[in-house]
Amino acid sequence: MAVFEFLLEIIGRIFVKFIFEGIIKGVFKMLKKLIEFIRVNIFGFKAKPIKPEEILEKKILYKKIELTENLNDKLKIGQKGDVLEIINKDKVFAEFYDSKGKQIEYRNKLVFEVGIKQFKLKK
């Protein structure tokens, strides 16, 4: 009987954590969008512009990547790495790892310049 009560308590805590926290966060996001809508459409304030650089940073900065093209004789298709810095909308700095997880060094360089079209994001 005690085990059953213990399991019910755990399930209840999980339910409260995910459901109620999700609902509360969702309500606050909805209120924020409503206030922004009122500011822009009723009072005539301008909406905050979203910069393309910020969108790109949120999308790929510090994410895991996999090469889709050969960069040199050490960095082949399928090599896995991480994006470290965004140079511009077409290029990033990334580091890559071998199959054992060690960082790859090529011509005394640990960080490589990679084109946006030369990799895909890994989940």
Side-chain angles (χ1 to χ4, degrees), residues 50-65 82-93 116 119 121:
I50 300 173
K51 298 178 183 174
E53 297 88 21
E54 290 177 3
I55 294 171
L56 190 62
E57 280 184 12
K58 286 182 183 179
K59 185 176 179 183
I60 66 172
L61 193 61
Y62 305 119
K63 301 284 195 256
K64 302 223 177 281
I65 60 172
D82 294 322
V83 174
L84 298 177
E85 187 176 340
I86 298 173
I87 302 170
N88 57 30
K89 66 178 184 165
D90 298 325
K91 294 193 181 266
V92 298
F93 281 130
I116 294 284
F119 66 84
L121 291 174

Side-chain angles (χ1 to χ4, degrees), residues 73-123:
D73 58 339
K74 277 218 171 184
L75 297 174
K76 303 283 186 186
I77 294 175
Q79 197 74 45
K80 293 178 176 36
D82 294 322
V83 174
L84 298 177
E85 187 176 340
I86 298 173
I87 302 170
N88 57 30
K89 66 178 184 165
D90 298 325
K91 294 193 181 266
V92 298
F93 281 130
E95 64 183 2
F96 295 94
Y97 305 102
D98 62 10
S99 60
K100 296 179 183 175
K102 287 184 155 186
Q103 197 172 9
I104 293 176
E105 183 175 349
Y106 181 73
R107 295 186 180 168
N108 295 327
K109 288 170 52 177
L110 295 172
V111 178
F112 303 95
E113 187 176 305
V114 182
I116 294 284
K117 306 272 185 202
Q118 294 177 317
F119 66 84
K120 62 181 177 181
L121 291 174
K122 295 299 289 179
K123 292 186 179 184

